[in-house]
Amino acid sequence: MNRTSDNNSSAVSKPFTNITEHDAYEGKIIAFVNPKSGGLQGQVVFDQLKVQIGEENVYDLVKDRGPQKGLTENQHVRNLRIIACGGDGTVGWVLSALDTLQMQYMDFVSVGVIPLGTGNDMARFLGWGVGYRGEALAPVIQSLGRAETRLLDRWNIDIQATLNSGTASLKIPQPVFNNYLSFGADAQIALDFHEKRNANPSFYANRIVNKLAYGCISCNTFWNCRYLCGNIANFFELIVDGRSINEDLLRIRPDAVLILNIASYAAGTNPWEGIYDNLWCARSQTDDERFREQSCSDGYLEIIVFKHFELAHIRLGRRGQRLAQGSEIKLRFRRDVPMEIDGEPFLLGPCQMTITRKNQARMIATERSQAAQQIQSTRI
């Protein structure tokens, strides 16, 4: 969909008007670590950080039952830089805690990442690597302390019951997403993997084993009749900024739908900006002029759809089929659907879902990252 610039959004009043971002380089650094992330790597990072930035500045997310303790102890610190050590779920956990304390509205409170998860899409997007592999942390911490920041839109998810909701579950892992929301075949694969890992966690403690298992589950899902011939297009309605997209959905008949906020999905792919597969995407190539450049701070989301086989193609750098961009997305599900929010898969019952922008967070990014290359809009 066409969209106009959001650069004229009004800025939130600055609590410390005499501060510049250069001053933030001299600020305090604290870290939140999930020691159980990344196999044994989480504990290694935890121990190294205590030496590098001081034991009093490193918080155990498991022992403290979340980041609230550490944030409360530092909520009045100027120029606070926070390192979230874990996967995408850990980053979301920290950002949601900042919401609770209303710290995300303070200038120069920013969040960086040391990746310990499996997909690590936020860390990839911000330029902090695909995953920690035992390297020395001193240079990483120095970079996190001095790198510039980028604004990140965060999106609210509102769920409403419908007449056919019945007793189905309408619970979602979190009411906000930072990376993406997807449903259909890709979410079914993630859900099957999640259930198998929970049943035997010791077997899935290795990244390579996880990727192999994920590939096997993906092959099995290919033969699931629910995700052949675009059957899911019959079970939901999509409205973007007041315009129905149902006609396009029934024409394309996708097996999976992705609503994307950052330029990283499924462990580093970007299906919005990937290379065209002329056999499958030629129809949508001429439509590119309808869309503005992708940005994580402009108040718009990208919506991409896939056939099942395209989920494999995007890992080779291909793109999905661009469907729309919008600032308000409404979905009406008529039956249960597998869904994934920032790497957390679950099964959602029939309902109506509305997605709107909640706020923005300030994220620490390297100068060569995808985040740093995108156009930045004015902070809301």
Side-chain angles (χ1 to χ4, degrees):
M1 298 183 66
N2 288 324
R3 54 188 188 174
T4 57
S5 175
D6 238 17
N7 289 348
N8 294 325
S9 301
S10 59
V12 175
S13 61
K14 298 182 179 181
F16 308 120
T17 55
N18 60 327
I19 302 173
T20 67
E21 184 151 356
H22 177 76
D23 298 320
Y25 297 153
E26 305 302 324
K28 181 178 181 180
I29 296 177
I30 65 172
F32 294 101
V33 186
N34 185 347
K36 295 184 178 180
S37 293
L40 299 176
Q41 299 285 27
Q43 188 61 52
V44 173
V45 168
F46 186 77
D47 293 338
Q48 278 205 54
L49 284 170
K50 287 194 293 184
V51 174
Q52 294 293 333
I53 64 175
E55 185 172 354
E56 70 280 4
N57 295 320
V58 184
Y59 297 88
D60 185 330
L61 286 168
V62 177
K63 180 180 178 181
D64 295 337
R65 299 182 180 180
Q68 287 78 7
K69 175 187 174 183
L71 292 178
T72 300
E73 291 179 358
N74 293 277
Q75 63 181 323
H76 300 300
V77 174
R78 290 161 44 136
N79 310 335
L80 182 66
R81 292 207 160 198
I82 301 166
I83 307 175
C85 307
D88 291 325
T90 300
V91 178
W93 201 0
V94 171
L95 292 176
S96 292
L98 288 171
D99 284 342
T100 301
L101 294 172
Q102 297 189 345
M103 291 176 65
Q104 81 277 19
Y105 297 112
M106 299 173 63
D107 285 346
F108 310 120
V109 172
S110 52
V111 179
V113 187
I114 292 178
L116 295 175
T118 302
N120 299 315
D121 282 302
M122 183 61 75
R124 293 169 188 264
F125 176 62
L126 298 174
W128 299 112
V130 303
Y132 178 73
R133 293 170 179 166
E135 61 270 23
L137 285 182
V140 178
I141 295 169
Q142 184 178 17
S143 296
L144 284 162
R146 299 193 62 84
E148 294 188 1
T149 60
R150 310 295 284 182
L151 294 176
L152 173 76
D153 291 336
R154 304 182 63 242
W155 297 86
N156 186 69
I157 307 168
D158 179 65
I159 301 289
Q160 298 292 330
T162 58
L163 291 176
N164 58 340
S165 291
T167 59
S169 173
L170 300 183
K171 293 182 179 179
I172 58 177
Q174 54 200 28
V176 179
F177 74 91
N178 309 297
N179 301 5
Y180 64 85
L181 179 151
S182 68
F183 58 93
D186 64 329
Q188 184 67 63
I189 295 167
L191 181 60
D192 290 346
F193 174 80
H194 177 73
E195 291 174 345
K196 291 181 183 298
R197 182 170 60 179
N198 284 348
N200 189 5
S202 61
F203 181 76
Y204 294 91
N206 182 278
R207 284 197 187 101
I208 296 176
V209 171
N210 288 350
K211 289 181 179 180
L212 290 174
Y214 210 91
C216 292
I217 293 170
S218 179
C219 292
N220 291 336
T221 306
F222 184 82
W223 302 109
N224 188 327
C225 63
R226 188 175 183 181
Y227 306 109
L228 293 175
C229 304
N231 286 333
I232 66 167
N234 299 318
F235 306 136
F236 74 96
E237 300 172 13
L238 173 62
I239 297 174
V240 179
D241 290 342
R243 184 172 76 90
S244 173
I245 311 295
N246 296 327
E247 184 177 332
D248 291 337
L249 287 169
L250 292 173
R251 173 178 55 83
I252 299 171
R253 301 196 69 82
D255 298 310
V257 178
L258 171 65
I259 302 174
L260 189 63
N261 186 42
I262 65 173
S264 185
Y265 160 75
T269 69
N270 183 5
W272 182 264
E273 294 287 355
I275 301 170
Y276 274 110
D277 187 325
N278 291 326
L279 179 61
W280 305 110
C281 293
R283 184 182 299 177
S284 62
Q285 187 167 3
T286 58
D287 294 336
D288 274 1
E289 293 182 358
R290 295 190 300 141
F291 304 111
R292 278 189 53 188
E293 187 174 344
Q294 187 179 22
S295 172
C296 66
S297 64
D298 61 357
Y300 288 85
L301 292 163
E302 282 69 44
I303 305 175
I304 308 114
V305 293
F306 310 97
K307 294 290 188 180
H308 197 300
F309 59 83
E310 290 178 306
L311 294 172
H313 285 190
I314 64 170
R315 295 183 180 276
L316 301 175
R318 305 295 182 179
R319 71 166 57 176
Q321 298 187 56
R322 293 180 173 184
L323 188 65
Q325 291 169 310
S327 58
E328 181 186 65
I329 298 170
K330 293 184 178 181
L331 290 153
R332 186 179 181 90
F333 297 104
R334 292 188 285 269
R335 60 172 290 178
D336 294 356
V337 60
M339 183 172 287
E340 186 176 16
I341 297 175
D342 288 355
E344 295 289 333
F346 60 101
L347 191 66
L348 181 68
C351 66
Q352 180 169 302
M353 174 184 290
T354 303
I355 300 171
T356 54
R357 183 160 68 170
K358 177 182 177 67
N359 56 29
Q360 290 176 310
R362 190 178 291 275
M363 309 299 292
I364 306 170
T366 66
E367 63 180 358
R368 295 185 178 181
S369 66
Q370 290 175 300
Q373 308 310 312
Q374 292 185 348
I375 296 172
Q376 283 280 289
S377 297
T378 304
R379 184 166 191 171
I380 57 171

